[in-house]
Amino acid sequence: MKKFRSITDYMTWRGDLTLQQDPFNEVDSVILGMASFIDFAGIVPPPGTPGTVRFDAAMARYMAELDGEQAHFGVIIPDQTLDLAKQASECPRYADAELFAYENVVDEAKEMQFAAVTFRLSDGSMFVSFRGTDDTIVGWKEDFNMYFQDSVPAQERAAAYLNCVAGQYPDKIRTGGHSKGGNLAIWSVVHAAPEVQARLIQAYSNDGPGFNHAMLRSPAYLAVRDRCMTYVPQSSLVGMLMEPADNVKIIYSTQTGLLQHDPFSWDVERNHYNYLPERSAFGEHNDAALRLWVDSMTEEEQRALIGDLFEVLESSGAKTLTEMDNNKRKAFSAMRKTIQGYDRERRKRINRLVGRLISAQITVALPENITAGAAEFKSKL
């Protein structure tokens, strides 16, 4: 049986190979994508500001500022992320990369969470690393907003950011990120200036949410789709939300269900992932049920459901998932009061939509209904 190798094993095994000896690959993209979770504020210059900082020097300064304290990225982001970034900064493969244009913006009024940093690599290219959803509740709300908005503020900021960093240096460009960062990696190149698109080598979405039909049929997307790659684990839910971009590859993960979203569970072979020929039955079932459920809702129902969900979460008084987790009793008490304050009609609407989700799970599990389609499903409810 093949021995499992993680992305950290990959660096131990191949981190001494420079990009000249072994060209940039998809495993590199998720490593540098996860490195964007490091808070480089005050260490790496912001967009539009001249100057760069070597990756090894930036991480050394970050570790010195921690001064032995434990870095915590939230209840969702693996704490191994710090070890990953530190290990990467010590590998000959990445150590001499030059970092610039670090930006981190959380704007509750705009319902935006955005962060990115750019690496100038030793092969003469740039890697634009977009951070995924962080620990903030507003960041999660923005993800849900993707369902019914043509664009969300982080996507628009990603395109502006890419145009900005492309103007600072003339290098060839790669973009990438994990989860929401992968969505931003593809969105940014689709909506970048044509001269920036012409410099694109590859855009990597590592289990990032998909897009709406209109974007995936737009001339701007068609111009770059052959350079847009999506990687999802076998039971992926996040990476199959909405419609994934073209060129999807399935990765073997040692985890199950939603836990497969963790890139530390993805199996690596030499300079690529361990690929599978198809998704798992579990993944196909849940994907079909979720799509059926979402398609059964009008845009108004989607907006109302997301509004209700985040009104309850925000009533906890917490700004992050960690704050909520650390004050469970107080948070749940406040959220329960909010739900109890809903009128009868509002409760009925929520119960009806939750009931549809359960019905969707049953519908896709019945052989005679698998091909019925969302339109028929909606007519039955």
Side-chain angles (χ1 to χ4, degrees):
M1 187 175 182
K2 176 189 175 294
K3 180 182 178 181
F4 169 74
R5 286 191 173 92
S6 69
I7 53 178
T8 54
D9 293 328
Y10 164 83
M11 287 189 286
T12 300
W13 188 30
R14 303 182 67 86
D16 61 329
L17 298 177
T18 66
L19 294 173
Q20 289 71 28
Q21 293 171 311
D22 187 25
F24 193 94
N25 61 66
E26 58 263 34
V27 186
D28 297 317
S29 82
V30 78
I31 290 169
L32 297 186
M34 293 301 291
S36 67
F37 278 97
I38 302 299
D39 182 6
F40 288 119
I43 300 173
V44 175
T49 303
T52 63
V53 180
R54 275 179 54 123
F55 190 19
D56 52 5
M59 282 304 302
R61 182 172 167 186
Y62 177 79
M63 295 301 296
E65 291 181 359
L66 276 181
D67 194 25
E69 292 186 13
Q70 177 66 38
H72 182 58
F73 300 96
V75 298
I76 300 296
I77 310 305
D79 283 341
Q80 306 102 291
T81 299
L82 175 59
D83 293 332
L84 173 110
K86 186 173 182 296
Q87 183 181 359
S89 72
E90 295 169 351
C91 290
R93 189 166 183 81
Y94 317 112
D96 61 352
E98 298 175 352
L99 276 61
F100 71 103
Y102 174 73
E103 182 172 52
N104 180 22
V105 180
V106 176
D107 189 322
E108 292 185 11
K110 293 182 179 179
E111 296 183 347
M112 176 176 74
Q113 173 257 316
F114 172 84
V117 66
T118 300
F119 295 75
R120 294 192 77 197
L121 302 173
S122 60
D123 66 354
S125 70
M126 292 192 294
F127 182 81
V128 182
S129 177
F130 292 104
R131 182 183 296 177
T133 310
D134 64 12
D135 198 43
T136 60
I137 291 174
V138 69
W140 286 93
K141 187 174 185 180
E142 184 176 41
D143 290 351
F144 279 80
N145 288 341
M146 289 181 182
Y147 270 103
F148 58 84
Q149 294 182 8
D150 290 336
S151 65
V152 294
Q155 291 172 327
E156 295 171 0
R157 180 57 203 153
Y161 176 91
L162 177 58
N163 284 330
C164 177
V165 298
Q168 289 189 245
Y169 296 99
D171 308 338
K172 290 286 188 178
I173 297 167
R174 297 182 183 90
T175 66
H178 173 255
S179 193
K180 174 184 175 177
N183 175 283
L184 300 182
I186 291 180
W187 176 275
S188 65
V189 300
V190 171
H191 295 84
E195 57 270 24
V196 176
Q197 287 186 337
R199 291 161 55 187
L200 177 69
I201 301 171
Q202 204 89 56
Y204 300 89
S205 176
N206 295 294
D207 207 27
F211 306 92
N212 61 35
H213 298 289
M215 197 205 84
L216 294 178
R217 285 154 182 75
S218 67
Y221 170 72
L222 297 178
V224 296
R225 72 173 173 182
D226 61 322
R227 289 169 283 170
C228 295
M229 298 298 303
T230 298
Y231 301 88
V232 300
Q234 70 268 26
S235 298
S236 171
L237 281 176
V238 177
M240 301 307 291
L241 294 176
M242 295 181 283
E243 186 174 345
D246 296 297
N247 308 317
V248 177
K249 289 192 174 185
I250 303 164
I251 305 168
Y252 173 68
S253 167
T254 58
Q255 288 283 16
T256 58
L258 277 171
L259 295 178
Q260 291 188 3
H261 190 54
D262 179 359
F264 291 94
S265 74
W266 298 352
D267 192 25
V268 177
E269 290 186 356
R270 295 180 63 82
N271 56 1
H272 58 85
Y273 296 116
N274 178 11
Y275 296 118
L276 299 174
E278 59 187 10
R279 296 178 66 215
S280 69
F282 175 85
E284 293 284 2
H285 175 277
N286 282 285
D287 179 41
L290 188 60
R291 288 173 187 265
L292 208 54
W293 180 53
V294 171
D295 288 345
S296 77
M297 288 187 276
T298 64
E299 182 178 314
E300 290 72 24
E301 287 176 320
Q302 291 176 15
R303 287 179 182 273
L305 181 62
I306 293 169
D308 290 339
L309 171 63
F310 282 92
E311 181 179 320
V312 171
L313 291 176
E314 289 164 357
S315 71
S316 69
K319 299 295 184 182
T320 66
L321 298 179
T322 297
E323 287 179 25
M324 190 178 295
D325 187 57
N326 289 340
N327 300 279
K328 293 185 185 73
R329 183 174 297 180
K330 179 181 177 182
F332 290 153
S333 175
M335 291 189 289
R336 185 169 57 250
K337 286 182 181 178
T338 299
I339 294 171
Q340 289 172 343
Y342 286 168
D343 60 35
R344 183 179 177 185
E345 285 303 311
R346 197 171 187 182
R347 287 174 181 241
K348 283 175 63 177
R349 186 188 70 232
I350 295 171
N351 289 336
R352 183 171 65 249
L353 294 178
V354 172
R356 287 187 193 176
L357 176 59
I358 296 170
S359 297
Q361 290 282 353
I362 296 171
T363 298
V364 299
L366 296 173
E368 64 270 25
N369 290 334
I370 286 176
T371 57
E376 182 179 346
F377 174 71
K378 281 192 284 187
S379 70
K380 293 179 180 178
L381 299 176

